[in-house]
Amino acid sequence: MELKLLFPIFILLLSKLLTMQNKTYTNTGIIFFMILLAIHPRCIAQDTSGLLYPTAILIQLNSEHNRIEALTKARDYKSLDEVKHDAAEVIKHFKTDFHDNFNYCTVYYYMDTNVEFIKKKMFDGILMDAESLPVKNPVINSKNEDYLIAFYGNPVSQSRTSKLQADTSLYSYDPQTPNGRGLVILNDKFLQLTYYYKLGIDELGLGGNKSIKKYSYHSMHFEIEYYPFAHLLNQNLQEKNNRRRLHLNPKSTK
């Protein structure tokens, strides 16, 4: 039986004990009551905390539209074809990584060119499945707050103990940007919750790690890449001790 359901029983027991003249029973009842008051709020917190964790994750895919537009204007068609190929490979590896290594919740995708629709929570015709087909009846709508957003790129600086980077000025300019690209996790308001990133040295071991190599991609000539973090994100969400960094709507930033 859940502890919160025992609350009325404890109250009834306490009232009976307090009517008794036996001091030992009365003191025992008071002790029970104090223990109940200490435990009860925790039970409520545990019951409601699950609402803070995601029912879906929206993956932002990079189209490299700025590079493509610049190369098109420059008529550098050789580089243009390479960038298009790199962008397609990154999207493929991104999707494969999450398909194989992430099962905590539903995964949807959208192109970075549609980010303004996502910010306005206009999902119809924008969210896609792993086959790039529009999603019909997604599990979230414009009223939902219980979802994550993820993209591969540069995070803004954030303390390891912080639950949320609420300083919006850093999203425009951050002199302490972490030295590395990775998977950046946002809440529904596009505020950074946490991030997973690698340093260049992390790639030195890729040749001997077939699992990581399978999901990784790095362009030969452009800063276009993907490094797999789906397994780590999935693990952090499933392991209760690590989920505290991923509260969707934390009450404070510390």
Side-chain angles (χ1 to χ4, degrees):
M1 181 182 296
E2 296 184 12
L3 288 175
K4 66 180 182 179
L5 298 179
L6 295 175
F7 188 75
I9 299 176
F10 273 100
I11 294 296
L12 179 60
L13 176 62
L14 179 61
S15 64
K16 294 291 185 181
L17 290 172
L18 290 176
T19 58
M20 296 181 180
Q21 295 182 354
N22 189 310
K23 185 176 181 180
T24 301
Y25 287 155
T26 303
N27 290 339
T28 301
I30 294 174
I31 292 173
F32 277 146
F33 185 69
M34 292 177 67
I35 293 174
L36 178 61
L37 290 178
I39 293 176
H40 187 61
R42 295 176 189 169
C43 297
I44 295 176
Q46 289 173 354
D47 290 341
T48 60
S49 63
L51 298 176
L52 296 174
Y53 300 109
T55 58
I57 180 168
L58 313 186
I59 305 294
Q60 179 173 302
L61 302 175
N62 195 345
S63 64
E64 297 295 337
H65 60 282
N66 289 334
R67 278 196 176 97
I68 289 174
E69 183 178 352
L71 291 172
T72 300
K73 289 181 178 179
R75 297 185 180 182
D76 186 350
Y77 300 117
K78 181 179 179 180
S79 296
L80 178 62
D81 289 340
E82 186 175 354
V83 166
K84 288 181 178 179
H85 172 77
D86 289 338
E89 285 296 313
V90 165
I91 288 174
K92 182 178 74 174
H93 284 74
F94 208 150
K95 288 182 176 181
T96 302
D97 185 25
F98 270 80
H99 178 273
D100 293 354
N101 301 308
F102 188 90
N103 57 18
Y104 181 84
C105 62
T106 302
V107 179
Y108 298 131
Y109 302 90
Y110 69 93
M111 300 306 300
D112 59 345
T113 50
N114 289 323
V115 66
E116 292 303 320
F117 291 103
I118 299 299
K119 288 182 177 181
K120 296 176 182 178
K121 301 191 177 187
M122 299 170 64
F123 302 134
D124 291 345
I126 302 300
L127 295 181
M128 303 179 293
D129 61 19
E131 303 299 325
S132 298
L133 298 175
V135 175
K136 296 181 180 180
N137 301 318
V139 298
I140 59 172
N141 56 46
S142 61
K143 296 181 180 179
N144 281 84
E145 296 181 345
D146 57 340
Y147 59 90
L148 294 174
I149 295 167
F151 70 89
Y152 191 88
N154 296 105
V156 297
S157 57
Q158 181 176 3
S159 167
R160 293 183 63 86
T161 60
S162 175
K163 294 180 180 180
L164 178 71
Q165 179 49 270
D167 184 355
T168 55
S169 66
L170 294 179
Y171 295 101
S172 301
Y173 172 70
D174 181 9
Q176 298 181 355
T177 298
N179 185 24
R181 304 177 74 204
L183 189 68
V184 184
I185 309 299
L186 314 175
N187 66 6
D188 69 303
K189 299 173 181 62
F190 276 73
L191 297 177
Q192 181 176 287
L193 296 168
T194 189
Y195 58 88
Y196 306 83
Y197 78 104
K198 67 174 183 61
L199 299 174
I201 194 172
D202 292 331
E203 296 182 336
L204 296 179
L206 284 182
N209 192 325
K210 293 182 180 180
S211 177
I212 293 180
K213 190 175 182 179
K214 175 183 178 181
Y215 304 111
S216 300
Y217 182 81
H218 198 288
S219 171
M220 294 292 292
H221 300 110
F222 298 94
E223 192 178 282
I224 300 174
E225 66 174 24
Y226 179 72
Y227 188 86
F229 291 103
H231 173 75
L232 183 57
L233 174 60
N234 196 67
Q235 178 179 311
N236 286 170
L237 285 167
Q238 290 180 340
E239 293 180 359
K240 189 173 182 180
N241 291 337
N242 292 327
R243 294 194 304 178
R244 62 182 183 83
R245 290 291 310 280
L246 297 171
H247 278 275
L248 298 182
N249 297 295
K251 294 181 179 179
S252 66
T253 59
K254 296 182 180 181

